[in-house]
Amino acid sequence: MTESEAVNHTVVDRVFRVSLNRPPANALGLPLVTGLERALDSFEKSDARVLVITSALDGFFAAVADIKLMGSFSGAGGAADFAAYGEQLRSPLNRLSASERPSIAAIEGLALGGGLELALACTLRVGSRTARLGLPEATLGLVPGAGGTQRLPRLIGRGRALDIMLTARDVLAQEAYTIGLLDRLVEPGTAADEAMALATTLCGRSGDALTQIMRCVDDAADLPLEQGLAREAERVNELYTGPEATEGLQAFLAKRRPNYV
């Protein structure tokens, strides 16, 4: 299967929708990884404001990295091949996490291992009540190697992240929502539609403001409070002199909807 077959994308009303389609379980092998890279290339060149990642497969968002591929690495070059695959896998996830524009994962069914790490790289996660999430790498003698050990504790806290990773257990949707691993909990079969509706809402907000809010929240996890507050002040002052804040304030005073280009 080629990357163009494994990852498709469409743009609807400035929402860039990516669909993962690598049967049977959307394992994050090279076709999906390369397809994600190309989709991100297109997203970055587009005027879309929000990216949404969905799955075309019933019962799977994305389940683990490509274990068959990892198991095929052998001989003197095995370790180097594994390291190269890891770098390829981490690349699109790191790009997604660092994007200046918001992204949303729409999770139906299983999001395990690399699949959950892909969802963690997104800004927000919408999951159905049938979703199951987990990082089972400890059962393979490995650690989550595509950002899971770093992004999960930042999202839900050290203790909860350790519980999930050390036990390698599946987290059911209700618990995932309760602990903040899912941001929206929706009825089965509606995650993609709900994610698209959320993306449409975000498209109506100031893109500059959304970018700076995401960066400020990142600062909250990485910087001491005083430094984070200083960065927040810098960003709001910079936004105030920009065209989108001008439009937003004028629209509010005129009692009309703002028009963010």
Side-chain angles (χ1 to χ4, degrees):
M1 174 176 282
T2 66
E3 61 267 19
S4 61
E5 295 171 322
V7 179
N8 302 296
H9 71 266
T10 56
V11 181
V12 180
D13 296 331
R14 304 192 79 176
V15 177
F16 192 99
R17 178 171 176 169
V18 175
S19 178
L20 309 180
N21 186 22
R22 190 192 180 205
N26 279 339
L28 290 173
L30 297 182
L32 265 185
V33 170
T34 306
L36 282 169
E37 290 275 24
R38 293 195 175 186
L40 288 170
D41 288 342
S42 297
F43 175 58
E44 290 167 0
K45 294 174 183 176
S46 76
D47 66 351
R49 287 182 173 267
V50 183
L51 182 145
V52 174
I53 300 180
T54 65
S55 171
L57 305 182
D58 290 336
F60 294 94
F61 172 70
V64 304
D66 195 328
I67 297 175
K68 288 185 178 179
L69 177 63
M70 291 190 295
S72 72
F73 301 144
S74 61
D81 290 339
F82 176 76
Y85 166 61
E87 288 297 321
Q88 288 176 290
L89 175 57
R90 286 186 284 272
S91 175
L93 274 60
N94 290 341
R95 288 177 66 188
L96 186 62
S97 179
S99 176
E100 296 294 296
R101 289 174 270 184
S103 54
I104 305 169
I107 303 171
E108 297 274 0
L110 298 178
L112 302 176
L116 178 53
E117 289 176 303
L118 172 59
L120 288 171
C122 292
T123 313
L124 297 169
R125 284 149 296 282
V126 175
S128 83
R129 294 185 182 277
T130 59
R132 289 164 52 198
L133 305 92
L135 294 171
E137 284 81 359
T139 64
L140 302 173
L142 298 169
V143 304
T149 66
Q150 301 305 301
R151 294 190 177 103
L152 186 63
R154 282 170 165 80
L155 185 66
I156 65 173
R158 180 180 185 273
R160 286 170 173 161
L162 280 171
D163 173 62
I164 291 169
M165 288 186 283
L166 294 179
T167 64
R169 66 184 178 90
D170 289 357
V171 180
L172 301 183
Q174 183 60 58
E175 180 188 358
Y177 177 64
T178 300
I179 65 177
L181 184 50
L182 290 176
D183 301 294
R184 302 282 179 93
L185 185 62
V186 300
E187 294 306 312
T190 68
D193 289 342
E194 293 289 344
M196 291 295 291
L198 175 57
T200 299
T201 297
L202 297 182
C203 285
R205 306 294 183 256
S206 160
D208 290 344
L210 295 184
T211 297
Q212 297 308 326
I213 287 170
M214 291 190 296
R215 298 291 79 86
C216 284
V217 172
D218 289 342
D219 288 342
D222 299 330
L223 298 177
L225 177 60
E226 288 188 4
Q227 292 181 31
L229 291 172
R231 293 287 293 276
E232 177 189 84
E234 291 172 6
R235 289 188 170 105
V236 72
N237 290 338
E238 289 174 3
L239 287 171
Y240 179 75
T241 59
E244 293 195 354
T246 298
E247 167 62 13
L249 291 168
Q250 290 179 346
F252 179 84
L253 294 173
K255 297 182 180 181
R256 61 173 175 81
R257 286 187 178 183
N259 180 24
Y260 298 118
V261 178

